[in-house]
Amino acid sequence: MILITGTSGQLASQIVTRARQKSIAVLTASRAASADRQMDFDRPETLDFTGVETMFLTSAGSAEDDCVMRRHGAVLAAARAQGVAHVVYTSLTRASDHLGFALAHRWTERELRASGMAWTILRNGLYAELIGALAAPRGGLIATPFGEGGISAVARADLAQAALAVLGDPAAHAGRCYELSGTTAFSVPDLAQRMTVTYEPSSFEEERARLSALPLFAFQPPMLMSISSAAAAGFLETHTTDLTELVPMPLDALEIACAVARQSAQ
């Protein structure tokens, strides 16, 4: 049996839908009452992997590094103790090492490789939907300071399709680490041009002040700023990807980012 965690989230829920359409038997796990198994990564006593051969571990959400590592460590320990044979983990591309939320992913990869269980690592690129939301026009122009560097973002739907390709035959992908960035990088100036709006990036100081005034958790502004600074420094563009090995015809990530940016600006 395959169990997919985090199924109340947007990526994992897409994977579940696609799996069931393909008649791949999966169990859902999350804190939601509608899940097949209610699991709370902060409560180890809820981590029930009985009868699970393959676990799809969706990263445990946005939180401080120590919190994410504690959650993932508890899940891996419970999975190993309860006989899970294979773990598929949603990580972050190597090009994203400069981001403020990369550490917990690298730690989890290391722990998974040393766990004794079979593993597959899906190093997902930044969602095109996320870039679109962050770059949404405000007052008729895009001001988020992304610089002019390319961003190899990828559609969430493509990452769901890649995950499904692995879950269709997990053993065939054991020991593989897939870099799943987008096939064609785009810049925020490209996005502005496609949307026919002006790109006038604010300073980093202005962006920090704007974020600090929003109702965010304390750790979120630095994480968001790390995306802007890494993009502006040119660290979010990749020149190779394994995406087409799992997804033959990827979607147009720029168009998806534009659609989300338009919707977010309304």
Side-chain angles (χ1 to χ4, degrees):
M1 178 61 70
I2 297 171
L3 182 140
I4 300 175
T5 74
T7 50
S8 58
Q10 295 186 64
L11 176 61
S13 62
Q14 283 197 42
I15 298 169
V16 170
T17 298
R18 291 167 181 263
R20 289 176 172 169
Q21 289 172 345
K22 294 286 188 179
S23 299
I24 298 174
V26 297
L27 293 174
T28 61
S30 77
R31 288 180 289 189
S34 58
D36 296 319
R37 295 188 182 179
Q38 284 186 270
M39 291 190 187
D40 184 341
F41 287 2
D42 290 321
R43 297 172 56 207
E45 70 274 12
T46 70
L47 302 178
D48 178 11
F49 298 108
T50 305
V52 174
E53 182 176 354
T54 298
M55 173 179 61
F56 187 92
L57 175 57
T58 308
S59 181
S62 180
E64 295 281 11
D65 289 334
D66 60 314
C67 181
V68 176
M69 290 187 289
R70 184 182 67 248
R71 290 170 176 171
H72 289 179
V75 171
L76 293 179
R80 181 174 58 247
Q82 296 179 42
V84 173
H86 192 149
V87 176
V88 181
Y89 174 59
T90 60
S91 188
L92 192 65
T93 56
R94 179 60 68 185
S96 301
D97 273 353
H98 297 279
L99 297 177
F101 43 94
L103 174 62
H105 287 290
R106 298 296 173 251
W107 182 89
T108 304
E109 288 185 15
R110 186 185 68 189
E111 295 301 299
L112 179 55
R113 291 174 189 269
S115 69
M117 295 179 286
W119 53 266
T120 305
I121 296 170
L122 305 180
R123 285 183 172 165
N124 292 344
L126 292 179
Y127 300 146
E129 293 88 344
L130 172 63
I131 300 303
L134 295 178
R138 302 189 299 273
L141 58 86
I142 296 174
T144 309
F146 277 106
E148 298 185 357
I151 303 171
S152 298
V154 59
R156 190 180 282 113
D158 284 340
L159 296 176
Q161 186 176 341
L164 187 65
V166 171
L167 292 177
D169 185 6
H173 302 275
R176 291 293 306 273
C177 181
Y178 292 99
E179 294 282 345
L180 301 179
S181 56
T183 56
T184 304
F186 64 86
S187 67
V188 171
D190 294 333
L191 187 147
Q193 182 177 27
R194 179 79 68 93
M195 294 180 67
T196 63
V197 298
T198 301
Y199 177 45
E200 293 183 3
S202 65
S203 68
F204 284 110
E205 291 78 9
E206 290 170 328
E207 181 68 359
R208 289 189 189 97
R210 186 185 74 84
L211 292 174
S212 68
L214 297 178
L216 300 173
F217 292 112
F219 65 86
Q220 289 179 310
M223 285 187 174
L224 294 173
M225 284 302 304
S226 75
I227 298 176
S228 291
S229 58
F235 283 111
L236 295 184
E237 180 174 4
T238 61
H239 300 285
T240 60
T241 178
D242 298 319
L243 184 66
T244 52
E245 184 175 343
L246 301 175
V247 182
M249 298 181 64
L251 299 172
D252 184 341
L254 174 56
E255 186 55 41
I256 289 170
C258 286
V260 172
R262 292 188 188 99
Q263 184 178 24
S264 300
Q266 294 176 357

